[in-house]
Each structure stands twice: as structure tokens, then as C-alpha cells.
Short mmCIF file of all heavy atoms in Angstrom, two decimals:
data_model
loop_
_atom_site.label_atom_id
_atom_site.label_comp_id
_atom_site.label_asym_id
_atom_site.label_seq_id
_atom_site.Cartn_x
_atom_site.Cartn_y
_atom_site.Cartn_z
N LEU A 1091 55.21 121.13 222.19
CA LEU A 1091 54.16 122.07 221.79
C LEU A 1091 54.59 123.51 222.08
O LEU A 1091 54.35 124.43 221.30
CB LEU A 1091 52.88 121.78 222.53
CG LEU A 1091 52.08 120.52 222.04
CD1 LEU A 1091 50.91 120.24 222.94
CD2 LEU A 1091 51.62 120.74 220.61
N THR A 1092 55.22 123.72 223.24
CA THR A 1092 55.73 125.03 223.56
C THR A 1092 56.80 125.47 222.57
O THR A 1092 56.80 126.62 222.13
CB THR A 1092 56.35 125.02 224.99
OG1 THR A 1092 55.35 124.65 225.93
CG2 THR A 1092 56.87 126.41 225.32
N ALA A 1093 57.67 124.55 222.21
CA ALA A 1093 58.71 124.88 221.21
C ALA A 1093 58.09 125.24 219.87
O ALA A 1093 58.58 126.16 219.19
CB ALA A 1093 59.64 123.65 221.06
N ILE A 1094 57.04 124.53 219.46
CA ILE A 1094 56.39 124.85 218.19
C ILE A 1094 55.79 126.25 218.24
O ILE A 1094 55.93 127.03 217.30
CB ILE A 1094 55.27 123.81 217.90
CG1 ILE A 1094 55.94 122.46 217.58
CG2 ILE A 1094 54.40 124.28 216.70
CD1 ILE A 1094 54.93 121.33 217.44
N GLY A 1095 55.15 126.56 219.36
CA GLY A 1095 54.61 127.91 219.53
C GLY A 1095 55.65 128.99 219.45
O GLY A 1095 55.49 129.99 218.77
N LEU A 1096 56.74 128.80 220.18
CA LEU A 1096 57.81 129.76 220.18
C LEU A 1096 58.49 129.90 218.80
O LEU A 1096 59.01 130.98 218.49
CB LEU A 1096 58.87 129.38 221.23
CG LEU A 1096 58.46 129.46 222.72
CD1 LEU A 1096 59.54 128.89 223.59
CD2 LEU A 1096 58.22 130.91 223.09
N SER A 1097 58.50 128.85 218.04
CA SER A 1097 59.20 128.81 216.76
C SER A 1097 58.37 129.37 215.62
O SER A 1097 58.87 129.50 214.51
CB SER A 1097 59.66 127.40 216.43
OG SER A 1097 60.51 126.85 217.45
N SER A 1098 57.12 129.74 215.88
CA SER A 1098 56.24 130.16 214.79
C SER A 1098 56.73 131.45 214.19
O SER A 1098 56.58 131.68 212.96
CB SER A 1098 54.80 130.27 215.25
OG SER A 1098 54.67 131.27 216.25
N ASP A 1099 57.28 132.36 214.99
CA ASP A 1099 57.80 133.62 214.47
C ASP A 1099 58.98 133.32 213.50
O ASP A 1099 59.05 133.91 212.42
CB ASP A 1099 58.31 134.51 215.62
CG ASP A 1099 57.14 135.30 216.25
OD1 ASP A 1099 56.04 135.26 215.67
OD2 ASP A 1099 57.36 135.89 217.31
N ALA A 1100 59.86 132.45 213.95
CA ALA A 1100 61.02 132.10 213.09
C ALA A 1100 60.53 131.42 211.83
O ALA A 1100 61.09 131.65 210.74
CB ALA A 1100 61.98 131.19 213.89
N PHE A 1101 59.52 130.59 211.95
CA PHE A 1101 58.95 129.91 210.78
C PHE A 1101 58.39 130.93 209.79
O PHE A 1101 58.63 130.81 208.56
CB PHE A 1101 57.87 128.92 211.26
CG PHE A 1101 57.17 128.20 210.16
CD1 PHE A 1101 57.85 127.17 209.48
CD2 PHE A 1101 55.87 128.48 209.82
CE1 PHE A 1101 57.22 126.45 208.48
CE2 PHE A 1101 55.24 127.78 208.79
CZ PHE A 1101 55.92 126.77 208.13
N SER A 1102 57.70 131.91 210.26
CA SER A 1102 57.13 132.94 209.42
C SER A 1102 58.22 133.73 208.69
O SER A 1102 58.13 134.02 207.48
CB SER A 1102 56.24 133.90 210.21
OG SER A 1102 55.16 133.21 210.81
N VAL A 1103 59.24 134.11 209.42
CA VAL A 1103 60.35 134.86 208.82
C VAL A 1103 61.11 133.97 207.82
O VAL A 1103 61.51 134.45 206.75
CB VAL A 1103 61.32 135.38 209.89
CG1 VAL A 1103 62.56 136.03 209.26
CG2 VAL A 1103 60.62 136.40 210.81
N ALA A 1104 61.25 132.70 208.14
CA ALA A 1104 61.93 131.76 207.21
C ALA A 1104 61.13 131.67 205.91
O ALA A 1104 61.71 131.56 204.83
CB ALA A 1104 62.08 130.41 207.85
N ILE A 1105 59.80 131.71 205.98
CA ILE A 1105 59.00 131.67 204.80
C ILE A 1105 59.28 132.91 203.91
O ILE A 1105 59.43 132.81 202.68
CB ILE A 1105 57.49 131.62 205.15
CG1 ILE A 1105 57.13 130.25 205.68
CG2 ILE A 1105 56.62 131.95 203.94
CD1 ILE A 1105 55.69 130.11 206.16
N CYS A 1106 59.35 134.06 204.58
CA CYS A 1106 59.71 135.29 203.85
C CYS A 1106 61.07 135.21 203.21
O CYS A 1106 61.27 135.70 202.08
CB CYS A 1106 59.61 136.52 204.78
SG CYS A 1106 57.94 136.89 205.34
N LYS A 1107 61.99 134.61 203.90
CA LYS A 1107 63.33 134.41 203.37
C LYS A 1107 63.24 133.54 202.11
O LYS A 1107 63.86 133.81 201.08
CB LYS A 1107 64.26 133.76 204.38
CG LYS A 1107 64.76 134.70 205.46
CD LYS A 1107 65.74 135.70 204.88
CE LYS A 1107 66.36 136.54 205.96
NZ LYS A 1107 67.25 137.56 205.38
N GLY A 1108 62.53 132.46 202.19
CA GLY A 1108 62.35 131.58 201.07
C GLY A 1108 61.71 132.25 199.86
O GLY A 1108 62.10 132.00 198.70
N LEU A 1109 60.77 133.17 200.10
CA LEU A 1109 60.12 133.93 199.07
C LEU A 1109 61.16 134.75 198.26
O LEU A 1109 60.99 134.95 197.05
CB LEU A 1109 59.07 134.88 199.63
CG LEU A 1109 57.72 134.27 200.00
CD1 LEU A 1109 56.91 135.25 200.85
CD2 LEU A 1109 56.96 133.85 198.78
N SER A 1110 62.17 135.29 198.95
CA SER A 1110 63.04 136.25 198.30
C SER A 1110 64.36 135.63 197.81
O SER A 1110 65.15 136.36 197.20
CB SER A 1110 63.36 137.35 199.30
OG SER A 1110 63.90 136.84 200.50
N ILE A 1111 64.54 134.38 197.99
CA ILE A 1111 65.77 133.71 197.51
C ILE A 1111 65.45 133.08 196.13
O ILE A 1111 64.59 132.24 196.03
CB ILE A 1111 66.26 132.61 198.50
CG1 ILE A 1111 66.72 133.29 199.80
CG2 ILE A 1111 67.45 131.86 197.89
CD1 ILE A 1111 67.22 132.29 200.84
N ARG A 1112 66.14 133.54 195.14
CA ARG A 1112 65.84 133.09 193.81
C ARG A 1112 66.35 131.69 193.50
O ARG A 1112 65.67 130.90 192.84
CB ARG A 1112 66.43 134.11 192.80
CG ARG A 1112 65.78 135.48 192.88
CD ARG A 1112 66.52 136.48 192.01
NE ARG A 1112 65.90 137.82 192.16
CZ ARG A 1112 66.37 138.93 191.60
NH1 ARG A 1112 67.48 138.84 190.86
NH2 ARG A 1112 65.80 140.08 191.81
N ARG A 1113 67.53 131.39 193.94
CA ARG A 1113 68.10 130.06 193.73
C ARG A 1113 68.47 129.48 195.08
O ARG A 1113 69.53 129.73 195.62
CB ARG A 1113 69.32 130.14 192.83
CG ARG A 1113 68.98 130.60 191.38
CD ARG A 1113 70.20 130.56 190.51
NE ARG A 1113 69.89 130.93 189.13
CZ ARG A 1113 70.80 130.97 188.14
NH1 ARG A 1113 72.05 130.70 188.40
NH2 ARG A 1113 70.40 131.35 186.92
N LEU A 1114 67.56 128.65 195.58
CA LEU A 1114 67.73 128.16 196.92
C LEU A 1114 68.46 126.84 196.91
O LEU A 1114 68.28 126.00 196.03
CB LEU A 1114 66.35 127.95 197.58
CG LEU A 1114 66.31 127.45 199.00
CD1 LEU A 1114 66.94 128.44 199.97
CD2 LEU A 1114 64.86 127.17 199.43
N ASN A 1115 69.35 126.63 197.97
CA ASN A 1115 69.99 125.37 198.11
C ASN A 1115 69.99 124.96 199.58
O ASN A 1115 69.64 125.77 200.45
CB ASN A 1115 71.41 125.38 197.56
CG ASN A 1115 72.31 126.42 198.22
OD1 ASN A 1115 72.41 126.48 199.44
ND2 ASN A 1115 72.92 127.28 197.39
N PHE A 1116 70.38 123.74 199.88
CA PHE A 1116 70.31 123.24 201.26
C PHE A 1116 71.25 123.95 202.19
O PHE A 1116 70.96 124.10 203.40
CB PHE A 1116 70.64 121.72 201.28
CG PHE A 1116 69.49 120.88 200.75
CD1 PHE A 1116 69.50 120.41 199.44
CD2 PHE A 1116 68.43 120.55 201.59
CE1 PHE A 1116 68.45 119.64 198.98
CE2 PHE A 1116 67.38 119.79 201.14
CZ PHE A 1116 67.37 119.29 199.82
N ILE A 1117 72.41 124.42 201.64
CA ILE A 1117 73.37 125.15 202.54
C ILE A 1117 72.75 126.46 203.02
O ILE A 1117 72.84 126.77 204.19
CB ILE A 1117 74.70 125.38 201.79
CG1 ILE A 1117 75.37 124.04 201.47
CG2 ILE A 1117 75.58 126.29 202.59
CD1 ILE A 1117 76.64 124.20 200.68
N GLN A 1118 72.11 127.20 202.09
CA GLN A 1118 71.50 128.47 202.48
C GLN A 1118 70.40 128.20 203.50
O GLN A 1118 70.30 128.92 204.49
CB GLN A 1118 70.90 129.14 201.25
CG GLN A 1118 71.96 129.70 200.29
CD GLN A 1118 71.34 130.22 199.02
OE1 GLN A 1118 70.41 129.67 198.51
NE2 GLN A 1118 71.85 131.30 198.49
N ALA A 1119 69.55 127.23 203.23
CA ALA A 1119 68.45 126.92 204.19
C ALA A 1119 69.01 126.50 205.51
O ALA A 1119 68.46 126.85 206.60
CB ALA A 1119 67.55 125.84 203.58
N GLY A 1120 70.10 125.72 205.51
CA GLY A 1120 70.70 125.26 206.73
C GLY A 1120 71.27 126.42 207.57
O GLY A 1120 71.15 126.44 208.79
N ILE A 1121 71.90 127.35 206.91
CA ILE A 1121 72.47 128.53 207.61
C ILE A 1121 71.36 129.35 208.27
O ILE A 1121 71.47 129.75 209.44
CB ILE A 1121 73.32 129.38 206.65
CG1 ILE A 1121 74.58 128.62 206.25
CG2 ILE A 1121 73.68 130.71 207.34
CD1 ILE A 1121 75.42 129.33 205.17
N ILE A 1122 70.29 129.62 207.51
CA ILE A 1122 69.17 130.37 208.07
C ILE A 1122 68.59 129.63 209.25
O ILE A 1122 68.33 130.24 210.31
CB ILE A 1122 68.08 130.56 206.96
CG1 ILE A 1122 68.65 131.51 205.85
CG2 ILE A 1122 66.82 131.16 207.55
CD1 ILE A 1122 67.77 131.57 204.64
N ALA A 1123 68.36 128.32 209.11
CA ALA A 1123 67.77 127.56 210.20
C ALA A 1123 68.68 127.50 211.40
O ALA A 1123 68.22 127.48 212.56
CB ALA A 1123 67.47 126.11 209.70
N LEU A 1124 70.01 127.47 211.16
CA LEU A 1124 70.96 127.45 212.29
C LEU A 1124 70.91 128.76 213.09
O LEU A 1124 70.98 128.71 214.33
CB LEU A 1124 72.38 127.22 211.74
CG LEU A 1124 73.48 126.98 212.77
CD1 LEU A 1124 73.17 125.73 213.61
CD2 LEU A 1124 74.83 126.85 212.10
N PHE A 1125 70.78 129.90 212.41
CA PHE A 1125 70.68 131.16 213.11
C PHE A 1125 69.43 131.16 214.01
O PHE A 1125 69.49 131.47 215.18
CB PHE A 1125 70.62 132.30 212.12
CG PHE A 1125 71.98 132.92 211.84
CD1 PHE A 1125 72.79 132.37 210.85
CD2 PHE A 1125 72.41 134.04 212.51
CE1 PHE A 1125 74.03 132.94 210.60
CE2 PHE A 1125 73.62 134.61 212.28
CZ PHE A 1125 74.46 134.06 211.30
N PHE A 1126 68.29 130.83 213.38
CA PHE A 1126 67.05 130.87 214.12
C PHE A 1126 67.01 129.83 215.24
O PHE A 1126 66.59 130.11 216.35
CB PHE A 1126 65.85 130.68 213.16
CG PHE A 1126 65.61 131.86 212.24
CD1 PHE A 1126 65.26 131.67 210.94
CD2 PHE A 1126 65.76 133.16 212.72
CE1 PHE A 1126 65.04 132.73 210.11
CE2 PHE A 1126 65.54 134.23 211.89
CZ PHE A 1126 65.19 134.03 210.59
N GLY A 1127 67.37 128.60 214.92
CA GLY A 1127 67.37 127.55 215.91
C GLY A 1127 68.35 127.81 217.05
O GLY A 1127 68.03 127.57 218.22
N GLY A 1128 69.53 128.35 216.71
CA GLY A 1128 70.52 128.60 217.70
C GLY A 1128 70.07 129.65 218.72
O GLY A 1128 70.25 129.48 219.94
#
């Protein structure tokens, strides 16, 4: 639960990233998630 709370900022920014990527693929999503998760 604490991790979910802390990750909400990253989740919000990831949503914005998804909004602005015209052609999304798993590699791009994985790199973004790796930065935030790391």
C-alpha cells in the first residue's frame, strides 16, 4: 500500500507520457517504467 501511494506520482507522469507518444510499443513503455521504478 505504501508503494502504491509513493508510485502515484510516477503513474500520473507515465499517463502523460502515454498521451504524447503517437506510436507506442512495449520497449518504450518498458524503458519509461524502468526509469521510474528504478
Side-chain angles (χ1 to χ4, degrees):
L1091 287 174
T1092 301
I1094 291 172
L1096 291 173
S1097 302
S1098 64
D1099 280 350
F1101 179 71
S1102 298
V1103 174
I1105 288 177
C1106 292
K1107 283 291 186 184
L1109 281 168
S1110 56
I1111 295 179
R1112 295 173 183 174
R1113 294 184 178 180
L1114 181 64
N1115 58 52
F1116 284 98
I1117 294 177
Q1118 290 173 322
I1121 292 174
I1122 293 170
L1124 187 61
F1125 266 85
F1126 289 140

